[in-house]
Amino acid sequence: MVEKNLDFRSDTVTWPTPEMREAAFKAKVGDDVMGDDPTVNELERIAAEITGKEAGLFVTSGTMGNAVCVLAHTQRGDEIILEQRSHIFYNEVGGLAVMGQLMARTVPGELGWMKPEDIEKAIRPDNIHFPPTTLLCIENTHNSAGGIALTPKQMKADWDVAKKHGLGVHLDGARVFNASVALGVDVKELTKYADTVQICLSKGLSAPVGSVVVGPADLVKKARKYRKMLGGGMRQAGIIAAPGIIAMTKMVDRLKDDHDNARLLAEGLGKMGIKICNQVQTNMVYIDYTPIGWMDADWDKATKKLGWKSVGHGGGTRLCTHYGIEREDIKAFVDGLGKLVK
Ligand SMILES: Cc1ncc(COP(=O)(O)O)c(C=O)c1O
């Protein structure tokens, strides 16, 4: 029996499963900074194996995972290319400038995908006036584009142009398993088009905390050192890594339920006249309720009345489906909201 978690605000709100709590309780631990925590080592090994990479690194969050990878790939003063609404550029507190002293060159994407010709135009030629372009960052699924899954073909096109110009490629794969499930491809078909990948364990995969970074051993070794520099060297971290192992090995297939529930939700809301602003491919539905004459206060009041957490901003909001929300919960929400809208 899944504990209900009627909260649309994000997939970060997920609670650990009973099995994760049990695994945390029983986890074998050691000092991870000394490389002695067997559970962390196992999580890192599993993450590398599943994604087809040489090495893995457990980090505290997606933001830290992206930061240590970006730092590992670059030197102070480099320019890096990012999609203009990407999480690393938009939502990570300018860390690339503060920590890496990097220039950000943004490229607008089409549904989150930067076209290779646009990337190529943004790569600086060798010129005494220019900073060197050394890294391309891709996001899959792309959160602000609507949880869009970039295909292996799209990723390969970006990888090919980056490699033609000698750039590193980092994938912000916070939700890369959502992408692999939505596309019906092995996650390796996506991760192979990036040198380093950051994967969140604490979103749809429901672990309480943490991300893993994977990539070639030399880059992961550098990332490990940056993790220490940022204060992310943890000690008996097996306690939090144990749920991460369950996240990666047992929580991936159920993401399909989240995607089906998001589609069901979008269909129901659409029938009431609420505008669906994104292509619903994964676990996110972006809505605009101004067509039914609602303001944020109306939305907040209605969802609260129905027992859900959701917060409107500027006439719309993002609704995320996740573990703790089941099909009958979506049906009950749509039914209840339908009555309030009438
Ligand atoms: C695409 C993407 N990347 C990175 C992150 C950062 O993860 P964290 O909140 O664990 O720092 C998020 C968080 O929502 C995200 O959506």
Side-chain angles (χ1 to χ4, degrees), residues 73-266:
H73 277 279
T74 56
Q75 303 272 348
R76 178 170 75 106
D78 287 356
E79 188 161 84
I80 73 174
I81 297 178
L82 309 112
E83 201 283 325
Q84 75 178 10
R85 292 296 312 270
S86 63
H87 200 276
I88 298 178
F89 177 67
Y90 216 80
N91 290 312
E92 297 186 5
V93 207
L96 59 93
V98 178
M99 295 180 280
Q101 300 183 31
L102 299 166
M103 301 262 292
R105 181 82 176 261
T106 59
V107 168
E110 202 172 74
L111 291 175
W113 178 56
M114 294 173 278
K115 290 191 188 147
E117 54 271 31
D118 294 337
I119 294 171
E120 193 153 38
K121 272 188 236 149
I123 297 172
R124 304 269 198 161
D126 186 18
N127 180 309
I128 194 164
H129 300 92
F130 296 159
T133 309
T134 53
L135 179 66
L136 171 69
C137 295
I138 300 175
E139 185 174 313
N140 197 9
T141 61
H142 195 293
N143 179 347
S144 64
I148 299 291
L150 307 185
T151 62
K153 194 172 165 208
Q154 289 175 313
M155 293 214 38
K156 180 178 186 307
D158 288 359
W159 163 267
D160 285 347
V161 74
K163 291 300 157 185
K164 182 175 149 197
H165 293 272
L167 273 58
V169 177
H170 171 65
L171 171 62
D172 178 357
R175 298 182 182 82
V176 72
F177 284 108
N178 291 87
S180 77
V181 166
L183 298 167
V185 299
D186 190 293
V187 75
K188 288 190 191 81
E189 293 304 310
L190 301 169
T191 54
K192 73 181 182 191
Y193 299 118
D195 299 300
T196 53
V197 186
Q198 180 282 117
I199 301 167
C200 287
L201 303 169
S202 64
K203 297 194 164 63
L205 302 183
S206 308
V209 58
S211 276
V212 276
V213 154
V214 292
D218 58 337
L219 282 173
V220 171
K221 188 175 173 200
K222 281 191 188 174
R224 188 177 291 278
K225 192 141 181 163
Y226 282 118
R227 182 188 72 168
K228 187 77 183 86
M229 186 191 85
L230 296 175
M234 297 173 281
R235 302 296 177 173
Q236 286 71 42
I239 299 279
I240 50 172
I245 293 176
I246 293 164
M248 290 211 83
T249 55
K250 300 200 174 166
M251 297 297 283
V252 171
D253 293 344
R254 64 154 303 289
L255 294 174
K256 184 178 180 305
D257 299 345
D258 297 342
H259 302 172
D260 292 344
N261 287 341
R263 270 193 294 273
L264 184 69
L265 177 63

Side-chain angles (χ1 to χ4, degrees), residues 42-54:
E42 180 65 357
L43 170 64
E44 293 174 347
R45 189 194 63 73
I46 289 171
E49 187 180 298
I50 291 176
T51 54
K53 301 290 181 201
E54 245 174 14

Side-chain angles (χ1 to χ4, degrees), residues 279-321:
Q279 277 183 21
V280 182
Q281 290 184 0
T282 60
N283 64 334
M284 294 179 185
V285 184
Y286 280 76
I287 59 167
D288 172 355
Y289 35 74
T290 57
I292 58 163
W294 277 20
M295 315 259 274
D296 296 337
D298 301 308
W299 176 260
D300 293 358
K301 199 169 136 200
T303 48
K304 196 168 172 197
K305 191 163 180 190
L306 296 171
W308 288 74
K309 287 187 183 153
S310 177
V311 184
H313 320 267
T317 191
R318 182 190 71 173
L319 307 173
C320 282
T321 52

